Amino acid sequence: MSYQVLARKWRPRLFKEMVGQEHVLQALINALDNGRLHHAYLFAGTRGVGKTTIARILAKCLNCEEGVSSEPCGHCNACNEIADGRFVDLIEVDAASRTKVEDTRELLENVQYAPTRGRYKVYLIDEVHMLSNSSFNALLKTLEEPPPHVKFLLATTDPQKLPVTVLSRCLQFKLKNMSPERIVEHLRFVLGEEQVPFEEGALWQLGRAADGSMRDGMSLTDQAIAFGGGKISEAEVRGMLGSIDTGLVWKLLHALAEEDAATLFATVAELAQQAPDFGATLAELSDNLHRLAVAQILPQSIDNALGDGERLRQLASRIAPENIQLYYQMTLHARRDLPLAPDPRSGFEMALLRMLAFRPQGVATIPRAELPETTASAQTQTAPREQAPIEQENAAEKKSEVVVPQHSESAEAVPTPGPHAEAIAAAQNESPVQNSVPARGDMLPKLEEPAPQQPPYHAEQASELVLGAQTAIVERPLEVPSAQPSGSREGVLAELRQRVAEVEASPPALENQAPTRTEAVAQVAEAPPARFDALTSGSWPALYKQLGISGILHSIAQHLELVGRQDNILSFTLDESFSSLYDEVHQRRLGDLLGDFFQQPVIAQIQVGQVQGSTPARLAAATRDARLAAARDALTSDPLVQELQSELGAELVSDTVESLAKAN
C-alpha cells in the first residue's frame, strides 16, 4: 500500500477534530443544529488553515443519510464518498484553472436539476478570486437566488479581489492563522499516534517555520521524519530548515549583558561558519529581547516550553530594562538597513557594536540580582527582620517587617509604614549602603513617638485644598530684588523665566497655613493605619503609596476606592472609565500585597462601578490643581510681573504656567 502523507492522513473528518477556528465552527454548528442554513458561504484565510476541510465537512453534514446535523455519522455511503472525493453531488471546482466565462456557464447549466444521490447539490469553488469579471457577473444571479437544493461554498486566500456584489451575497468567515503553540500541540499528538520519536525543541522549530499554516507544519514534519531517518531531533531539523542555533543567540545576549566585545565577536565568527541568514538572526535576537522585556515586567509569564525558561529568568535579571528596549530598537533598525550594508555580516556586526557603544541617558547601574519567582516591586527590598516587643492591648508579641526603599530621591517619593518611620530613618543614616536596621536597644526608644504622616485628601475636599494652597502661596510673596532688572528685553525675560521656575519648583507650603486651615485639613485626613483593623476608606490613598505597586496593577490601584471591610475581606470599587485594564488576576495580586504589608491573610474584592469617594488618582489631581492655581496667583501678584504688564503691556499666558507645573 502506498504511503499517505500526514497532511492527508490526519485531515479532520468531523468538526470536533478541527484544531482552532472555533469562531467559525461555532457559527456552522449552531446553524446546522437549528436549521438556519444560508445558501452561500465564503471561507477566507491563508493557505493550510482549513478552508477546504471545513467546506467538505459541511457538505458531509448536509448530505449524511442519517439527517442534517453538525455530527455526521461518518460511515454511511454519502459520508464515505465525500471523504474519498467521489460524491457525485459535491462538485469541486478549481477556479484557478477554470477562469473563463464559458466554464462558469457550463458549471451553472445543471444547477436547476435536483441532486442525484444526496440531499443537496454542493458547489465547492476553491480560489474563487481567480475567476474573471465576466465569470463573476455570470455567477451573480444564481448566487443570489439559487434553487433550494443548491449550496455554494467558496474558498479564497485573497478576499480583497472579490467584487463587492459577490461578498454581499455570502456569509463571510475569516479563518485565523495557526499559532505555533497550536501547531506544536497537534504535531505532538500526531507523532505520538504515529509512534515517531521526537525532541520538543524540534517541534517548536517546525511550528515557527510553518508560519501559521497547519498543512505546512505537517508537510515539514514529513520532511523532518525522512531527513532524520524515522526520528525528529532538534539539530537535524535546524540543519534541514537552515535556521540558526538558538544557543549562539543566547550567547550573544550574554556577551552584551557582560559588555564583553571579545566573546561577542568570537560568537559572531562561530555563527558565520553556519552560513546563516543574518536578517533571520536579527529577528531571532529581537524575539528573545521581547521575551526578556516581558519576563522583567511579568516574571510569572516565563514558561519552559522551549527549554530555556531558567536561562531567560537569569538573563532578565542581568540586563537593565532600558538597555533591552534600546537593543530591541537597534535590531529593528538593523534589519531595515541590512540590505544597504556592504555585506550582511558587517551590517550585523555594526548593529552589535552600536549596542555596546550606546546607553540610555540616566541609566547609572545595571541590576545583577536574580529575577524573583513571583511579581514584586522593583523599587523596594526587604531588610533583615528584627523582632521587637511592642506593647499591645493583649500584651502579645508580634513580628514586624521593616521595608527600606532601595532608591529614594525625597521623603515623599516612598512613604514609610506608620510607627516605624523614625527607626527606618535612623537605620538609613547609620548605614546607607547596607540598609541595615539598628540594634533592638537603640530602636525601642524611637518607637514611642510615631512619625508624622502626610495626610491623604478626599475628592470632596478638592476645592478646600486648592483654596488652602492658594492662601499659602499668596501669604508668602516673592522677594523683589533690590537691584533693578536689566534694561534690555532679553534680560527682563530671562529673569522672569527664572522667577517662574522658582515658583513652580516650590510646592505649596501647607504647613505654613493658618491654624484654622491646618485643623480643617487634619479633621478630614487620616494617617496610614499601623493595623489592619484601623484601615478606612479615607486612609486608603496614603496606604496605596506604601505598598510598592508597579506595572498595570499600579494603574488600576490608583483608581480604586475602598468601600468596605469585613473580617479580612476588603471591598474596592474600580472607576468604570478604567475597567479595560482590569483582569481578575489583579484582584489576587492586590490581596497578596496587602497581606504582605499587614502580615496577615487579606482578600481583595474589586467591583467595577461609579466611584463616589476618594481615590489616589483624585488625590493626585487635587494636589496638582492646587499647585497650578497657587502658581498662577503667585505670578499674578508678583511685582515684577505687574510692572511688566503695566509698562510693557505684557500678558501672562496661563498655558505656559501649566506646562511648567507639569514639568516640575
Side-chain angles (χ1 to χ4, degrees):
M1 183 176 180
S2 60
Y3 173 74
Q4 191 174 19
V5 298
L6 296 178
R8 295 185 59 187
K9 181 178 180 180
W10 291 96
R11 169 173 282 184
R13 297 174 180 267
L14 300 173
F15 284 139
K16 62 182 179 181
E17 297 178 0
M18 288 288 299
V19 178
Q21 316 303 347
E22 289 82 1
H23 63 295
V24 177
L25 301 181
Q26 180 180 353
L28 295 178
I29 290 173
N30 292 338
L32 289 166
D33 292 340
N34 298 326
R36 302 182 65 88
L37 295 172
H38 201 269
H39 60 267
Y41 295 88
L42 173 65
F43 303 104
T46 188
R47 76 276 179 268
V49 294
K51 301 184 299 296
T52 306
T53 299
I54 291 178
R56 290 179 179 176
I57 297 176
L58 181 56
K60 191 183 298 184
C61 294
L62 294 172
N63 289 292
C64 180
E65 294 178 0
E66 295 188 1
V68 177
S69 68
S70 60
E71 296 184 2
C73 66
H75 53 74
C76 65
N77 292 331
C79 292
N80 291 330
E81 290 177 6
I82 291 175
D84 296 338
R86 51 187 178 85
F87 189 62
V88 66
D89 290 321
L90 175 59
I91 300 97
E92 294 194 28
V93 180
D94 180 17
S97 60
R98 305 186 64 178
T99 60
K100 297 181 180 180
V101 64
E102 292 81 3
D103 298 328
T104 303
R105 290 172 180 170
E106 180 182 355
L107 181 68
L108 299 177
E109 284 180 356
N110 298 323
V111 168
Q112 57 184 333
Y113 300 112
T116 303
R117 295 191 53 189
R119 190 177 294 105
Y120 291 96
K121 182 178 290 186
V122 180
Y123 287 87
L124 174 54
I125 306 178
D126 201 5
E127 300 300 334
V128 67
H129 66 274
M130 300 293 290
L131 293 178
S132 63
N133 290 332
S134 300
S135 298
F136 280 124
N137 292 332
L139 184 64
L140 285 179
K141 185 60 179 177
T142 305
L143 188 62
E144 182 177 8
E145 298 177 355
H149 58 267
V150 172
K151 302 293 181 185
F152 285 97
L153 306 180
L154 312 180
T156 178
T157 56
D158 196 357
Q160 290 80 10
K161 292 184 178 180
L162 294 179
V164 179
T165 51
V166 174
L167 295 175
S168 64
R169 288 166 167 80
C170 303
L171 289 186
Q172 304 176 42
F173 294 98
K174 175 66 176 178
L175 278 68
K176 302 177 182 178
N177 286 4
M178 298 290 179
S179 64
E181 290 79 9
R182 284 190 179 274
I183 296 176
V184 170
E185 180 183 359
H186 187 60
L187 292 181
R188 193 182 295 118
F189 167 76
V190 170
L191 294 176
E193 294 293 324
E194 294 286 331
Q195 298 182 355
V196 176
F198 63 89
E199 295 180 1
E200 188 71 17
L203 296 189
W204 284 97
Q205 293 276 351
L206 295 172
R208 286 196 293 265
D211 194 21
S213 171
M214 183 64 75
R215 182 174 62 230
D216 288 2
M218 300 290 281
S219 300
L220 289 173
T221 304
D222 254 329
Q223 184 180 353
I225 295 174
F227 188 86
K231 60 182 180 64
I232 300 178
S233 65
E234 184 176 2
E236 291 176 343
V237 169
R238 187 182 301 114
M240 179 192 77
L241 297 175
S243 56
I244 61 175
D245 187 356
T246 55
L248 294 178
V249 176
W250 283 109
K251 196 173 180 180
L252 290 173
L253 289 173
H254 277 282
L256 287 173
E258 299 295 336
E259 300 183 4
D260 187 353
T263 304
L264 191 67
F265 274 80
T267 307
V268 173
E270 185 178 355
L271 185 66
Q273 294 178 0
Q274 302 179 6
D277 180 359
F278 284 100
T281 306
L282 287 170
E284 184 74 16
L285 195 63
S286 62
D287 180 64
N288 286 342
L289 288 170
H290 163 259
R291 296 177 61 200
L292 287 171
V294 174
Q296 289 181 335
I297 300 299
L298 298 173
Q300 68 272 18
S301 67
I302 299 177
D303 60 78
N304 199 34
L306 300 180
D308 57 359
E310 183 63 23
R311 179 188 296 175
L312 181 66
R313 188 180 69 85
Q314 292 179 358
L315 189 58
S317 63
R318 301 173 61 186
I319 307 180
E322 296 84 355
N323 286 344
I324 290 181
Q325 297 295 329
L326 184 62
Y327 295 163
Y328 184 82
Q329 195 68 22
M330 286 181 176
T331 55
L332 296 183
H333 288 177
R335 290 181 63 188
R336 179 195 63 188
D337 299 339
L338 196 61
L340 303 178
D343 60 89
R345 178 174 176 176
S346 64
F348 182 75
E349 290 177 346
M350 285 300 297
L352 297 178
L353 288 174
R354 283 196 294 271
M355 296 179 191
L356 289 178
F358 294 96
R359 286 290 177 270
Q361 184 178 2
V363 180
T365 58
I366 298 177
R368 297 295 179 183
E370 290 190 1
L371 197 68
E373 296 292 342
T374 58
T375 304
S377 173
Q379 302 297 327
T380 61
Q381 63 180 6
T382 303
R385 297 188 180 181
E386 291 287 344
Q387 295 183 355
I390 302 175
E391 293 184 0
Q392 301 290 343
E393 295 179 359
N394 56 358
E397 291 185 359
K398 294 186 177 181
K399 295 181 180 180
S400 61
E401 182 176 4
V402 180
V403 180
V404 181
Q406 187 175 15
H407 300 287
S408 175
E409 296 181 358
S410 64
E412 297 178 359
V414 183
T416 57
H420 305 288
E422 293 185 7
I424 295 171
Q428 292 176 341
N429 293 332
E430 288 182 9
S431 181
V433 178
Q434 290 84 4
N435 288 334
S436 61
V437 298
R440 177 182 295 182
D442 298 334
M443 185 174 179
L444 286 176
K446 298 180 180 180
L447 294 178
E448 297 177 358
E449 296 183 1
Q453 301 293 327
Q454 181 178 358
Y457 302 96
H458 295 272
E460 54 267 19
Q461 281 78 34
S463 59
E464 184 178 3
L465 176 63
V466 172
L467 179 60
Q470 292 175 355
T471 306
I473 294 298
V474 172
E475 291 178 357
R476 183 169 59 108
L478 295 174
E479 296 181 0
V480 181
S482 57
Q484 295 296 329
S486 175
S488 63
R489 181 175 180 271
E490 291 75 9
V492 173
L493 292 177
E495 184 172 354
L496 179 59
R497 293 191 187 98
Q498 182 179 0
R499 300 288 290 277
V500 171
E502 291 175 357
V503 171
E504 292 298 330
S506 301
L510 297 178
E511 64 275 8
N512 294 331
Q513 298 177 18
T516 56
R517 176 65 59 186
T518 304
E519 294 174 359
V521 176
Q523 291 176 0
V524 180
E526 300 181 25
R531 298 178 306 172
F532 180 73
D533 55 6
L535 179 61
T536 64
S537 59
S539 59
W540 161 246
L543 173 65
Y544 152 80
K545 295 182 179 180
Q546 305 180 39
L547 296 178
I549 304 177
S550 60
I552 298 179
L553 183 59
H554 175 273
S555 302
I556 295 175
Q558 65 180 349
H559 297 287
L560 290 178
E561 176 192 9
L562 180 60
V563 296
R565 174 175 57 84
Q566 181 178 4
D567 296 334
N568 66 330
I569 301 176
L570 296 178
S571 299
F572 294 90
T573 298
L574 173 62
D575 193 339
E576 57 189 2
S577 302
F578 302 91
S579 60
S580 60
L581 301 174
Y582 174 68
D583 189 81
E584 291 184 359
V585 69
H586 299 131
Q587 178 175 269
R588 185 178 66 255
R589 290 178 55 197
L590 180 60
D592 294 341
L593 288 174
L594 290 169
D596 294 341
F597 181 81
F598 290 108
Q599 295 297 307
Q600 68 179 66
V602 176
I603 299 176
Q605 294 181 348
I606 300 177
Q607 298 292 334
V608 179
Q610 186 174 3
V611 174
Q612 302 293 338
S614 175
T615 65
R618 291 188 176 183
L619 170 63
T623 306
R624 185 169 56 253
D625 293 342
R627 290 172 54 91
L628 181 58
R632 288 174 177 170
D633 290 346
L635 289 174
T636 303
S637 60
D638 184 81
L640 177 59
V641 176
Q642 294 177 353
E643 183 180 356
L644 290 174
Q645 290 176 335
S646 61
E647 296 185 3
L648 301 179
E651 180 181 356
L652 181 62
V653 182
S654 300
D655 294 342
T656 58
V657 179
E658 183 174 358
S659 63
L660 286 172
K662 292 181 179 179
N664 290 283

